Amino acid sequence: MTPATVETPTQVHVDLLLKAYKLMVTAKSMADIFEENRAISSKYVHSTSRGHEAIQLATAFQLTERDFLSVYYRDESILLGLGLKPYELMLQLMAKADDPFSGGRTYYGHPSLRRAGFPVIPHQSSATGMQAIPATGMAHALKYLETAGLEDSSEGRVVLCSLGDGSVTEGEVAEAFQMAVLKQLPIIFLVQDNGWGISARAEEMRAMDAYEYAAGFKSMERLRVDGADFVHSYTGMQEAFRIARQERKPVLVHATCPLLGHHTSGVRREWYRGDNLQEHALQDPIPILKQQLLATGSAEEELYVLEEQVRHEVQTQFDKAQLAADPEPASFHLHEFAPTPVVEEKGQRSPLKGEKTTMVDAALHAVDEILKQYPEALFYGQDVGGELGGVFREAALLAKKYGDHRVFNTPIQEAYIIGSTAGMSAVGAKPIVEIQFADYIWPGINQLVEELSKSCYLSMGKFPIQSLIRVPIGAYGGGGPYHSGSVESTLLNIRGIKVVYPSNAADIKGLMKAAFLDPNPVVMLEHKGLYWSKVPGTEEAKTIEPDADYVLPLGKGNVVQQASEEQVRRGNSLAVITYGMGVYWAKSASKQLPGSVEIVDLRTLNPLDFEMVQQAVERHGKVLVLTEEPLLNSFAESLAGRINRTCFTKLDAPVFTLGAENLPAVPLNVELEKMMLPNADKVLAALTELLEY
C-alpha cells in the first residue's frame, strides 16, 4: 500500500464504541484512584495509559490468541482491551503474590502471559526500544517455521510491537527495522507519539518522527493515525493487521496522542509541562469518543450511569488488591533457571573405532546433528551461511545442506543476533547463533542482560529462553586487540545465563548438545587457539569424537591430570583450577614437576562445579587458579577468594592466581602478546613457588 494517512469511515458499530468507551473510563478511573492513593500506588514506580487509551484499545481489539504481543510500559489499556481485569493489573502495581505476570517481581505494565484466549506476551525489559529486537525475533521465528512447513502461514499469525516515540532513536530499533524489512517479517511496529520523553520535548530528541524515519527502510509499509480518535485508530489498525496477516510484511503505524498522565509516578507532570498540559487535554480521547457516541444516539444519562458503575467497580477492585497477600519472602530465589533435561552424561564419549577430530570439527558435527534431529533449530550469525560457513569454517557446508532459511548470514548486528533469540524461543524456534569474536559481543550485552538473563526469573518460569550463543574467544599468534580478548568475567557477572568453556573436542561436542537442550541462555566460549590443535602443547585438545547421542551435563568439571599418590603423601602436590587454554599451559608446565600437579578443568564456569574444586583443595592444600584473562577483578580472583573463605582450614598456603597482565587489550605484535599472556614458563614459576611455600 502507498504510504498515506488512513481515512476515517463514518461508521464503526456502536457496540464496539461502547466497549471502547467503558474501557477508556476504566483506565481513567484507575489512573485517578492511583493518584488519589499515592501512598499506596506510588510505593513502586508506575505509568498509566492516560491519553493513549484510544490507539491502545484499537490495537487490542485486533489481536487474537494466536498472535504475539510486545508492549511497552504505558500500555495498560492494551491489557484491559485484551480482557485483563483492573484487579490483576493492580496486583502487579502493588507487587502482590498473585500478580499474574511476575508474582510481585517487576513493575506495573510489564506483563508476561501465557493464558488461553490471549496472545502470547513474553517477558521483556522496561521497553524503551530494546523490545523491538526480541519482538522482531518472534516474527522471524514465525517466518522460519512457516517456511519450514512447521506452521501454516494461512493462519496469519502476527507480532505487534508497541514503542514510545522516543525509543525509535535507539540503534537497536534500527537493527529490528532492518531485519524486519530484509526478511519481510509479519510484524507491526506501533509507535505511540505523545511528543515527550521524560522532560524532553520531541524537537530536542529527534530530527524526524517515526513515520518519516521509517521511509528509509525499503518495503516498510507506513500508516499515520490520529491516536486520540478511537474510530480513526481502529480503522488504521485494521489495515495494518490486514497487511501483516495477508501480505506477511512489516508495517509501521505512527499514532499521535496526548500525554495526560505523568511520565511515571516518580516524575510529576506539573514540574515541567506548564501550558502544554492544557494543550494536550484538548485531545483527550474520552470526550472525543463520548461525542461520537452521543452523535450515534447514545443517551448522555446512560453514559453517565456507565461511568459511575465503572468507577465503583474499579474502586472495589483497588480495595480488594490492597488486601491481597504479599509474596512469600522465602520464594525470592525461585526460577533463576528452568530445569534442564540433561543431568547425566550419556552416549559414547570414545566409541570403538572412533577417529580423532579437532575441536572445530566436533563442534561443526554437533550443530549438524542438531539441525538434522530438530527441524525447529536454526543457526545464524555473521558469515556463518553461504559459501564461507564461518571465518573458522565452523559452519562449513551447513547452509548448503539445510538451506538459507535455516543457516544464514546476518548483518553486523550483535544486538539482533543475541536479542532475537528471546523472541525465537518464545515462539518455539530453537536458535543457535554466533558472535564472530568475543571482542564483538559488547553491542549485544544490553540484550543479553535486559532481555535474556531476566526473563525466566521475572516471568516466574513462564518464559525461559532457549538460546545457544557460540563465541570464539582467546588469543594466540598475533590476533591483535579486536580478535584476542577474553570476556568471561563480564559474562559471569550476568545472573541468569550459563557460561561454558570447553577445552577439547569430546567436551565441546557433549557440551554443545547439552547447551542446545538446556531451556536457558547458554554462552559457549570456544578458544580459537584450540580449534585445530596447531598451537604447540595443545595436541590433546584433539580427541576421539563422541557419537551422536553423547551429551555432557553443564556444571560438571573434570580432573584431566592426577597427581601421584606418592607426591600427595609427601605433601609435595598441588591443584591447578583452570579452563580453556589454561589446561594446556598447566599440562606443559607440570612436565617439569612429575607427579606433583593435579589439573581440574572446570569446563563450565556457571554453573560451577565447586564441589570438585573443594575436593582438590582437600587433597592437596595448595591451589593455583589459572586464567587467560587479565587477573585484576577477574573470575579467577573471585574463585580464589571463595576458596580462601570456604576452604581456609584445608589450605597450607595462600591461594595463588595467575592470569594475563592487567592491560586494556591484547597487543598485535606477537612478542608483545607473549609478554602479556600467561604461558607454560610463567605457570611453571608459579607452581614451583607454590610447592616450595
Side-chain angles (χ1 to χ4, degrees), residues 445-487:
I445 289 291
N446 187 36
Q447 290 289 324
L448 192 60
V449 172
E450 299 299 341
E451 305 298 344
L452 274 69
S453 74
K454 295 177 171 60
S455 183
C456 186
Y457 181 73
L458 292 180
S459 70
M460 295 287 282
K462 293 191 297 294
F463 289 97
I465 291 171
Q466 181 173 12
S467 173
L468 172 52
I469 303 167
R470 299 182 62 185
V471 185
I473 193 171
Y476 76 99
Y482 305 111
H483 301 83
S484 307
S486 292
V487 300

Short mmCIF file of all heavy atoms in Angstrom, two decimals, residues 445-487:
data_model
loop_
_atom_site.label_atom_id
_atom_site.label_comp_id
_atom_site.label_asym_id
_atom_site.label_seq_id
_atom_site.Cartn_x
_atom_site.Cartn_y
_atom_site.Cartn_z
N ILE A 445 25.47 -6.96 24.63
CA ILE A 445 25.37 -7.16 26.07
C ILE A 445 24.04 -6.62 26.61
O ILE A 445 23.44 -7.19 27.52
CB ILE A 445 26.56 -6.50 26.79
CG1 ILE A 445 27.84 -7.31 26.52
CG2 ILE A 445 26.31 -6.39 28.29
CD1 ILE A 445 27.88 -8.68 27.18
N ASN A 446 23.57 -5.50 26.05
CA ASN A 446 22.30 -4.94 26.52
C ASN A 446 21.18 -5.97 26.40
O ASN A 446 20.39 -6.18 27.33
CB ASN A 446 21.95 -3.69 25.71
CG ASN A 446 20.74 -2.97 26.26
OD1 ASN A 446 20.52 -2.91 27.46
ND2 ASN A 446 19.93 -2.41 25.37
N GLN A 447 21.10 -6.63 25.26
CA GLN A 447 20.07 -7.65 25.06
C GLN A 447 20.30 -8.85 25.98
O GLN A 447 19.35 -9.41 26.54
CB GLN A 447 20.05 -8.10 23.60
CG GLN A 447 19.53 -7.06 22.63
CD GLN A 447 18.04 -6.83 22.76
OE1 GLN A 447 17.28 -7.75 23.01
NE2 GLN A 447 17.61 -5.59 22.58
N LEU A 448 21.55 -9.25 26.14
CA LEU A 448 21.86 -10.39 26.98
C LEU A 448 21.45 -10.12 28.43
O LEU A 448 20.88 -10.99 29.10
CB LEU A 448 23.36 -10.69 26.91
CG LEU A 448 23.84 -12.01 27.50
CD1 LEU A 448 23.20 -13.20 26.82
CD2 LEU A 448 25.36 -12.11 27.42
N VAL A 449 21.68 -8.90 28.89
CA VAL A 449 21.36 -8.55 30.28
C VAL A 449 19.86 -8.30 30.45
O VAL A 449 19.21 -8.89 31.31
CB VAL A 449 22.15 -7.31 30.72
CG1 VAL A 449 21.68 -6.83 32.09
CG2 VAL A 449 23.64 -7.62 30.77
N GLU A 450 19.32 -7.42 29.63
CA GLU A 450 17.95 -6.94 29.87
C GLU A 450 16.88 -7.91 29.39
O GLU A 450 15.81 -8.00 30.00
CB GLU A 450 17.75 -5.59 29.19
CG GLU A 450 18.67 -4.49 29.69
CD GLU A 450 18.48 -4.19 31.17
OE1 GLU A 450 17.43 -4.56 31.73
OE2 GLU A 450 19.39 -3.61 31.78
N GLU A 451 17.12 -8.60 28.32
CA GLU A 451 16.08 -9.45 27.75
C GLU A 451 16.27 -10.93 28.06
O GLU A 451 15.34 -11.61 28.50
CB GLU A 451 16.00 -9.25 26.23
CG GLU A 451 15.81 -7.80 25.80
CD GLU A 451 14.50 -7.19 26.29
OE1 GLU A 451 13.58 -7.94 26.70
OE2 GLU A 451 14.38 -5.96 26.26
N LEU A 452 17.48 -11.46 27.87
CA LEU A 452 17.67 -12.90 28.04
C LEU A 452 17.83 -13.30 29.49
O LEU A 452 17.19 -14.25 29.96
CB LEU A 452 18.89 -13.38 27.24
CG LEU A 452 18.64 -13.73 25.77
CD1 LEU A 452 18.33 -12.48 24.95
CD2 LEU A 452 19.84 -14.45 25.18
N SER A 453 18.66 -12.60 30.23
CA SER A 453 19.05 -13.10 31.56
C SER A 453 17.92 -13.02 32.57
O SER A 453 17.84 -13.83 33.50
CB SER A 453 20.26 -12.34 32.08
OG SER A 453 19.93 -11.02 32.49
N LYS A 454 17.02 -12.06 32.43
CA LYS A 454 16.00 -11.80 33.44
C LYS A 454 14.67 -12.50 33.16
O LYS A 454 13.79 -12.54 34.02
CB LYS A 454 15.76 -10.29 33.56
CG LYS A 454 16.94 -9.49 34.08
CD LYS A 454 16.63 -8.00 34.08
CE LYS A 454 17.69 -7.18 34.80
NZ LYS A 454 19.02 -7.29 34.20
N SER A 455 14.50 -13.04 31.97
CA SER A 455 13.18 -13.48 31.54
C SER A 455 12.61 -14.61 32.40
O SER A 455 11.45 -14.55 32.82
CB SER A 455 13.23 -13.93 30.07
OG SER A 455 11.95 -14.29 29.61
N CYS A 456 13.38 -15.62 32.66
CA CYS A 456 12.86 -16.76 33.44
C CYS A 456 12.51 -16.30 34.85
O CYS A 456 11.42 -16.62 35.36
CB CYS A 456 13.90 -17.87 33.48
SG CYS A 456 13.31 -19.38 34.28
N TYR A 457 13.38 -15.54 35.47
CA TYR A 457 13.16 -15.12 36.86
C TYR A 457 11.96 -14.19 36.98
O TYR A 457 11.09 -14.37 37.84
CB TYR A 457 14.42 -14.44 37.40
CG TYR A 457 14.30 -13.99 38.83
CD1 TYR A 457 14.32 -14.92 39.86
CD2 TYR A 457 14.16 -12.64 39.15
CE1 TYR A 457 14.21 -14.51 41.19
CE2 TYR A 457 14.04 -12.23 40.46
CZ TYR A 457 14.07 -13.17 41.48
OH TYR A 457 13.94 -12.77 42.79
N LEU A 458 11.89 -13.17 36.11
CA LEU A 458 10.84 -12.18 36.24
C LEU A 458 9.49 -12.65 35.70
O LEU A 458 8.46 -12.04 35.99
CB LEU A 458 11.26 -10.87 35.57
CG LEU A 458 12.41 -10.12 36.25
CD1 LEU A 458 12.74 -8.84 35.50
CD2 LEU A 458 12.08 -9.81 37.71
N SER A 459 9.47 -13.71 34.93
CA SER A 459 8.19 -14.27 34.47
C SER A 459 7.78 -15.46 35.33
O SER A 459 6.82 -16.15 34.98
CB SER A 459 8.29 -14.69 33.00
OG SER A 459 9.12 -15.83 32.84
N MET A 460 8.46 -15.68 36.42
CA MET A 460 8.17 -16.81 37.31
C MET A 460 8.21 -18.14 36.55
O MET A 460 7.39 -19.03 36.75
CB MET A 460 6.81 -16.63 37.98
CG MET A 460 6.74 -15.45 38.93
SD MET A 460 7.61 -15.72 40.47
CE MET A 460 6.45 -16.74 41.36
N GLY A 461 9.20 -18.26 35.66
CA GLY A 461 9.42 -19.50 34.95
C GLY A 461 8.58 -19.70 33.71
O GLY A 461 8.73 -20.73 33.03
N LYS A 462 7.71 -18.73 33.37
CA LYS A 462 6.86 -18.91 32.18
C LYS A 462 7.64 -18.76 30.89
O LYS A 462 7.29 -19.37 29.87
CB LYS A 462 5.71 -17.88 32.20
CG LYS A 462 4.70 -18.06 33.30
CD LYS A 462 3.46 -17.19 33.09
CE LYS A 462 3.78 -15.70 33.13
NZ LYS A 462 4.23 -15.23 34.44
N PHE A 463 8.69 -17.94 30.91
CA PHE A 463 9.42 -17.66 29.67
C PHE A 463 10.93 -17.81 29.86
O PHE A 463 11.68 -16.85 29.78
CB PHE A 463 9.09 -16.25 29.16
CG PHE A 463 7.71 -16.12 28.61
CD1 PHE A 463 6.69 -15.61 29.40
CD2 PHE A 463 7.41 -16.52 27.33
CE1 PHE A 463 5.39 -15.50 28.91
CE2 PHE A 463 6.12 -16.42 26.82
CZ PHE A 463 5.11 -15.91 27.62
N PRO A 464 11.37 -19.06 30.11
CA PRO A 464 12.81 -19.28 29.98
C PRO A 464 13.20 -19.13 28.51
O PRO A 464 12.36 -19.32 27.62
CB PRO A 464 13.00 -20.72 30.46
CG PRO A 464 11.68 -21.38 30.18
CD PRO A 464 10.63 -20.31 30.36
N ILE A 465 14.42 -18.77 28.26
CA ILE A 465 14.84 -18.50 26.88
C ILE A 465 15.88 -19.53 26.47
O ILE A 465 16.99 -19.58 27.01
CB ILE A 465 15.41 -17.08 26.74
CG1 ILE A 465 14.27 -16.07 26.92
CG2 ILE A 465 16.09 -16.89 25.39
CD1 ILE A 465 14.73 -14.64 27.03
N GLN A 466 15.50 -20.38 25.52
CA GLN A 466 16.44 -21.36 24.97
C GLN A 466 17.28 -20.67 23.91
O GLN A 466 16.80 -20.34 22.83
CB GLN A 466 15.69 -22.55 24.37
CG GLN A 466 16.63 -23.61 23.82
CD GLN A 466 15.91 -24.86 23.37
OE1 GLN A 466 14.70 -24.88 23.27
NE2 GLN A 466 16.66 -25.90 23.10
N SER A 467 18.54 -20.44 24.24
CA SER A 467 19.40 -19.67 23.36
C SER A 467 20.82 -20.19 23.51
O SER A 467 21.39 -20.14 24.61
CB SER A 467 19.34 -18.19 23.75
OG SER A 467 20.29 -17.43 23.01
N LEU A 468 21.38 -20.71 22.45
CA LEU A 468 22.78 -21.16 22.44
C LEU A 468 23.60 -20.15 21.64
O LEU A 468 23.40 -20.00 20.44
CB LEU A 468 22.88 -22.56 21.85
CG LEU A 468 24.29 -23.10 21.59
CD1 LEU A 468 25.17 -22.99 22.83
CD2 LEU A 468 24.23 -24.54 21.11
N ILE A 469 24.50 -19.47 22.34
CA ILE A 469 25.29 -18.39 21.73
C ILE A 469 26.75 -18.83 21.69
O ILE A 469 27.42 -18.96 22.72
CB ILE A 469 25.15 -17.09 22.55
CG1 ILE A 469 23.68 -16.69 22.65
CG2 ILE A 469 25.97 -15.97 21.92
CD1 ILE A 469 23.41 -15.61 23.68
N ARG A 470 27.26 -19.08 20.49
CA ARG A 470 28.65 -19.50 20.31
C ARG A 470 29.54 -18.27 20.18
O ARG A 470 29.22 -17.35 19.43
CB ARG A 470 28.79 -20.38 19.07
CG ARG A 470 28.00 -21.66 19.12
CD ARG A 470 28.22 -22.50 17.86
NE ARG A 470 29.62 -22.90 17.72
CZ ARG A 470 30.10 -23.56 16.66
NH1 ARG A 470 29.30 -23.86 15.64
NH2 ARG A 470 31.38 -23.91 16.61
N VAL A 471 30.68 -18.29 20.88
CA VAL A 471 31.59 -17.14 20.88
C VAL A 471 33.04 -17.61 20.80
O VAL A 471 33.60 -18.06 21.80
CB VAL A 471 31.40 -16.27 22.14
CG1 VAL A 471 32.27 -15.01 22.05
CG2 VAL A 471 29.94 -15.89 22.34
N PRO A 472 33.68 -17.54 19.64
CA PRO A 472 35.12 -17.79 19.57
C PRO A 472 35.87 -16.77 20.43
O PRO A 472 35.55 -15.58 20.40
CB PRO A 472 35.44 -17.63 18.08
CG PRO A 472 34.14 -17.94 17.39
CD PRO A 472 33.08 -17.37 18.30
N ILE A 473 36.85 -17.23 21.18
CA ILE A 473 37.46 -16.40 22.21
C ILE A 473 38.96 -16.68 22.28
O ILE A 473 39.45 -17.69 21.76
CB ILE A 473 36.80 -16.68 23.58
CG1 ILE A 473 37.17 -15.64 24.63
CG2 ILE A 473 37.11 -18.10 24.06
CD1 ILE A 473 36.37 -15.77 25.92
N GLY A 474 39.71 -15.78 22.90
CA GLY A 474 41.09 -16.06 23.26
C GLY A 474 42.11 -15.58 22.26
O GLY A 474 41.81 -15.18 21.14
N ALA A 475 43.37 -15.60 22.71
CA ALA A 475 44.48 -15.03 21.96
C ALA A 475 45.49 -16.09 21.58
O ALA A 475 45.71 -17.04 22.32
CB ALA A 475 45.17 -13.95 22.80
N TYR A 476 46.08 -15.90 20.41
CA TYR A 476 47.27 -16.66 20.02
C TYR A 476 47.78 -16.10 18.71
O TYR A 476 47.00 -15.68 17.85
CB TYR A 476 46.97 -18.16 19.88
CG TYR A 476 46.21 -18.54 18.62
CD1 TYR A 476 46.88 -19.05 17.50
CD2 TYR A 476 44.83 -18.37 18.53
CE1 TYR A 476 46.18 -19.38 16.35
CE2 TYR A 476 44.14 -18.70 17.39
CZ TYR A 476 44.81 -19.20 16.30
OH TYR A 476 44.14 -19.53 15.15
N GLY A 477 49.07 -16.02 18.55
CA GLY A 477 49.70 -15.78 17.27
C GLY A 477 49.40 -14.46 16.60
O GLY A 477 49.35 -14.39 15.38
N GLY A 478 49.19 -13.38 17.35
CA GLY A 478 49.06 -12.06 16.75
C GLY A 478 47.67 -11.72 16.25
O GLY A 478 47.53 -11.05 15.22
N GLY A 479 46.65 -12.15 16.94
CA GLY A 479 45.28 -11.78 16.55
C GLY A 479 44.97 -10.32 16.76
O GLY A 479 44.06 -9.78 16.14
N GLY A 480 45.69 -9.69 17.69
CA GLY A 480 45.52 -8.26 17.89
C GLY A 480 44.40 -7.91 18.84
O GLY A 480 43.69 -8.77 19.36
N PRO A 481 44.22 -6.61 19.04
CA PRO A 481 43.33 -6.14 20.12
C PRO A 481 41.85 -6.39 19.92
O PRO A 481 41.09 -6.32 20.88
CB PRO A 481 43.62 -4.63 20.18
CG PRO A 481 44.16 -4.28 18.83
CD PRO A 481 44.91 -5.49 18.38
N TYR A 482 41.40 -6.68 18.71
CA TYR A 482 39.96 -6.85 18.48
C TYR A 482 39.58 -8.28 18.09
O TYR A 482 38.46 -8.55 17.68
CB TYR A 482 39.47 -5.86 17.44
CG TYR A 482 39.81 -4.44 17.82
CD1 TYR A 482 40.75 -3.71 17.11
CD2 TYR A 482 39.24 -3.86 18.96
CE1 TYR A 482 41.09 -2.42 17.50
CE2 TYR A 482 39.57 -2.58 19.36
CZ TYR A 482 40.50 -1.86 18.62
OH TYR A 482 40.84 -0.59 19.03
N HIS A 483 40.55 -9.21 18.23
CA HIS A 483 40.27 -10.61 17.90
C HIS A 483 40.89 -11.56 18.92
O HIS A 483 41.02 -12.75 18.63
CB HIS A 483 40.82 -10.95 16.50
CG HIS A 483 40.24 -10.12 15.41
ND1 HIS A 483 40.71 -8.86 15.10
CD2 HIS A 483 39.21 -10.35 14.56
CE1 HIS A 483 40.00 -8.36 14.11
NE2 HIS A 483 39.08 -9.23 13.76
N SER A 484 41.24 -11.06 20.09
CA SER A 484 42.00 -11.87 21.04
C SER A 484 41.49 -11.80 22.46
O SER A 484 42.04 -12.44 23.34
CB SER A 484 43.48 -11.43 21.03
OG SER A 484 44.02 -11.43 19.73
N GLY A 485 40.45 -11.03 22.70
CA GLY A 485 40.03 -10.74 24.06
C GLY A 485 39.38 -11.92 24.76
O GLY A 485 38.85 -12.84 24.14
N SER A 486 39.42 -11.86 26.09
CA SER A 486 38.71 -12.80 26.95
C SER A 486 37.65 -12.02 27.73
O SER A 486 37.95 -10.96 28.28
CB SER A 486 39.68 -13.49 27.91
OG SER A 486 40.56 -14.35 27.22
N VAL A 487 36.43 -12.54 27.77
CA VAL A 487 35.29 -11.77 28.29
C VAL A 487 34.51 -12.51 29.36
O VAL A 487 33.45 -12.06 29.77
CB VAL A 487 34.33 -11.39 27.13
CG1 VAL A 487 35.04 -10.55 26.08
CG2 VAL A 487 33.70 -12.63 26.50
#
